Amino acid sequence: MKFNKNALMMTLLKSRTFIVLIILVVFFSFASPTFLTSKSLLLIAKHVALYGILGIGMTYVIITGGIDLSVGAVVGLSGMIAGGLINEGLQMFGYTLYFSVPMIALITIICGAAVGVVNGFLITRFNVAPFIATLGMMYVARGFAMLRSNGATFSNIVGKEALGNTGFELFGRDIWGIPVGAIILAVIAVGASVVLKKTPFGWHVFSIGGNERAAKLSGVKVNQVKLMVYLFSGACSAIVGIITASQLVASHPASGESWEMNAIAAAVLGGTSMAGGIGTIGGTIVGAFVIGVINDGMVMCGVSEFWQMVIKGLVIVLAVIIDQFQRNLQAKMALQARSKDAVVH
């Protein structure tokens, strides 16, 4: 009977994020009459897309046992890169080059990925702790974002027909009532999930988080895998920067401030273990919905921004505590199962 209780508890723990999401939706539906309106749901979907994309990159990083605190700053830097290329172009040798929107998006993503590569290089080649390396890059990226325009905003980034750089606002639009950001999230989520579950690279990511030394001894190229993981996180951040700038039709260097906390919360709430070796993309998406609902629900209910910060911080701490409880319960159940088998044999 005790084993059955443990099994039931484990089932509830594994489904905790989805259960919390349902509770939050029901609560805010009663607390705010505007919560379930189409306009509010569309806004939540746009925010969830941003947190979800950041969370996917963060999930890969955390599974390897790392952390990436630079993602929010890369969002701001990427927006400034894209906005600057649209409004001012690229000045080289006395000439100004203007790029098409697809090329601007590609350049921006490459820049974001480059920040991730620097993070990975510091961690793998110089053995800098992920927390310190990415914390430093957070300040570097935010500083460069400020320097790009001396702290000013690139406004009205719609381009000009004569320059061939119009259409940037497409990333912030809706198609058949669905935000383009949500469509991008779905594509990235499917691809990231397949890679994580069905490819050798995904297995290597899990093995590094589970036991890095054992993974290295078994032939896994640990440094290369970590480098690719941080590159992917940086690219995801750049994509979010593009979508954010497109939605606002403006780029501000402070965009994405503190969003690393939303990304970490989405991943941890979705079941990704801060100890590494455990995590799913689907869980992170559900976690992103929880963060989006909490953020927008509290705004609709008129909750102070300061209390929002307190609540989100408590949510992260509680998620880590529950994760630790789940890991201890799993270890206990595994020990009981081995003891039972030993008695039978």
Side-chain angles (χ1 to χ4, degrees):
M1 185 64 182
K2 188 176 181 180
F3 178 80
N4 291 336
K5 286 182 179 180
N6 288 339
L8 176 61
M9 180 64 72
M10 183 60 65
T11 300
L12 292 174
L13 286 172
K14 289 181 177 180
S15 305
R16 63 184 182 272
T17 311
F18 190 71
I19 295 172
V20 169
L21 178 60
I22 294 175
I23 293 172
L24 287 172
V25 170
V26 173
F27 172 78
F28 285 120
S29 298
F30 286 101
S32 173
T34 62
F35 182 77
L36 289 181
T37 61
S38 58
K39 184 177 180 180
S40 296
L41 293 177
L42 183 63
L43 180 63
I44 292 173
K46 288 182 177 181
H47 290 161
V48 167
L50 303 179
Y51 305 150
I53 295 172
L54 285 179
I56 289 172
M58 188 67 73
T59 298
Y60 269 73
V61 171
I62 294 178
I63 289 176
T64 64
I67 196 75
D68 189 353
L69 299 179
S70 67
V71 295
V74 175
V75 170
L77 175 61
S78 301
M80 294 303 293
I81 291 172
L85 288 174
I86 292 173
N87 282 5
E88 298 181 350
L90 178 64
Q91 296 182 5
M92 294 181 63
F93 308 111
Y95 295 92
T96 302
L97 302 177
Y98 289 93
F99 301 95
S100 65
V101 167
M103 184 59 67
I104 289 172
L106 178 60
I107 292 171
T108 303
I109 293 172
I110 290 174
C111 290
V115 176
V117 169
V118 174
N119 282 331
F121 189 77
L122 290 173
I123 292 165
T124 58
R125 298 299 180 185
F126 293 99
N127 294 319
V128 179
F131 180 90
I132 300 300
T134 59
L135 179 65
M137 285 307 299
M138 176 183 74
Y139 286 108
V140 171
R142 188 67 71 187
F144 274 120
M146 296 289 183
L147 288 169
R148 180 64 184 84
S149 63
N150 290 322
T153 299
F154 287 120
S155 59
N156 197 33
I157 50 174
V158 296
K160 297 179 180 179
E161 291 283 354
L163 299 176
N165 61 352
T166 58
F168 184 73
E169 64 273 16
L170 172 66
F171 297 109
R173 288 181 178 173
D174 306 331
I175 297 179
W176 300 308
I178 302 174
V180 171
I183 297 174
I184 295 174
L185 168 63
V187 172
I188 294 175
V190 171
S193 183
V194 170
V195 170
L196 198 59
K197 291 182 178 180
K198 304 294 185 181
T199 68
F201 179 80
W203 304 333
H204 293 166
V205 170
F206 279 113
S207 65
I208 291 171
N211 190 323
E212 183 173 329
R213 179 173 174 78
K216 187 177 292 185
L217 292 174
S218 64
V220 175
K221 297 179 179 179
V222 173
N223 287 350
Q224 291 185 16
V225 172
K226 284 186 176 182
L227 197 66
M228 291 300 297
V229 163
Y230 282 94
L231 181 154
F232 178 58
S233 180
C236 286
S237 304
I239 292 171
V240 171
I242 292 170
I243 297 172
T244 302
S246 179
Q247 290 175 348
L248 300 173
V249 198
S251 301
H252 191 277
S255 293
E257 193 170 8
S258 299
W259 283 12
E260 58 275 0
M261 294 298 102
N262 291 329
I264 294 170
V268 174
L269 282 171
T272 302
S273 174
M274 292 298 292
I278 299 174
T280 64
I281 300 301
T284 297
I285 301 303
V286 178
F289 269 98
V290 170
I291 295 300
V293 169
I294 289 176
N295 284 348
D296 291 344
M298 287 193 294
V299 170
M300 293 176 197
C301 291
V303 178
S304 165
E305 181 181 354
F306 308 127
W307 275 111
Q308 291 180 37
M309 295 172 64
V310 171
I311 292 171
K312 282 194 290 186
L314 291 174
V315 166
I316 295 175
V317 173
L318 182 61
V320 173
I321 292 173
I322 294 175
D323 170 67
Q324 187 61 48
F325 178 75
Q326 180 180 338
R327 290 170 66 86
N328 292 338
L329 183 59
Q330 285 176 324
K332 180 180 178 181
M333 291 175 64
L335 180 61
Q336 288 178 342
R338 287 196 296 269
S339 300
K340 185 176 180 180
D341 290 339
V343 172
V344 171
H345 294 290

